Amino acid sequence: IGSFGDTVTLDVAQWKQVAARYKDKPANLYFELLNEPHDKLDDATWNAYLVDALAVVRATNPSRPVVIGPAWWNSKDHIAQLKLPDADRNIIVTIHYYEPFKFTHQGASWAGKESAAWLGTTWKGTDEEKAAVKKHLAQVAKWGADNNRPIYLGEFGAYEKGALDSRERWTSFVAREAEANHFTWSYWEYCSGFGVFDPKAKEYRQELLRALVPDSALVKK
């Protein structure tokens, strides 16, 4: 995918190669067309591209599960604009969830200079805070039910500059709400800025590990 001036050049040649190479792999290998389409890949452009890319994949992988999310960084707010081929039922829809953003991205340099002003933001798990998460994920669940599409929460996490106790509360609540809505999920990420694993200490951050998998308290490495 290349961006040139005011146009977007969409190349599906790579998917033709990848799909052909892995066509005989087991069914538990899934494809994801593109992580977090955004900017010039707006809703309409992304919807057009995914149809072309999916057709290329289906030429060699007619029934392999393919993960596809909405435009604008796989935003829940754009899931209603996502248009999928209705006849293809081997699609898993993904969203990424980082709200409230000023909490999850406080101090993150890539979030802009203003992120420094968010330092100290907490997530206490108040009724109001929990209600916001519940509302967001319930909206996605409703879309999934209305469109008969399974939902995969492909990313969620809170950056290391936030207080660990707040990160633990938020992570646990989001994970349990995802499960309550029958979403599968993946935490972002393993051992970097959001990481559940501390690469220097060579051990899991137990607070985050328990938040994700409550029965995992004895897992050390």
Side-chain angles (χ1 to χ4, degrees), residues 134-147:
K134 283 178 172 287
K135 179 181 178 181
H136 296 158
L137 298 189
Q139 288 172 341
V140 175
K142 183 178 186 307
W143 183 92
D146 290 347
N147 291 273

Side-chain angles (χ1 to χ4, degrees), residues 13 30 72 93 96 100 106 122 136-137 160 167 205 218:
Y30 293 9
W72 299 107
V93 174
H96 294 177
Q106 57 187 290
T122 59
H136 296 158
L137 298 189
E160 64 184 358
R167 294 170 66 201
R205 295 181 172 99
L218 298 179

Side-chain angles (χ1 to χ4, degrees), residues 3-33:
S3 177
F4 303 96
D6 293 328
T7 65
V8 177
T9 300
L10 301 174
D11 186 359
V12 299
Q14 284 187 317
W15 267 118
K16 184 176 182 180
Q17 296 172 4
V18 170
R21 180 179 179 87
Y22 293 100
K23 64 183 178 66
D24 296 322
K25 295 297 182 181
N28 60 1
L29 171 66
Y30 293 9
F31 293 156
E32 182 171 4
L33 293 184

Side-chain angles (χ1 to χ4, degrees), residues 100-187:
F101 195 75
K102 290 182 179 180
F103 165 67
T104 65
H105 280 68
Q106 57 187 290
S109 59
W110 66 92
K113 293 181 179 179
E114 63 270 25
S115 67
W118 306 339
L119 289 169
T121 303
T122 59
W123 198 87
K124 297 184 180 299
T126 65
D127 290 344
E128 183 179 5
E129 289 171 331
K130 290 179 177 180
V133 174
K134 283 178 172 287
K135 179 181 178 181
H136 296 158
L137 298 189
Q139 288 172 341
V140 175
K142 183 178 186 307
W143 183 92
D146 290 347
N147 291 273
N148 192 26
R149 299 289 186 182
I151 303 294
Y152 166 48
L153 177 56
E155 288 186 20
F156 69 106
Y159 191 48
E160 64 184 358
K161 295 297 180 69
L164 186 56
D165 59 340
S166 284
R167 294 170 66 201
E168 179 183 8
R169 280 190 293 270
W170 181 87
T171 299
S172 177
F173 191 75
V174 173
R176 302 295 83 77
E177 277 302 301
E179 292 163 0
N181 282 288
H182 307 291
F183 301 170
T184 53
W185 56 257
S186 291
Y187 178 74

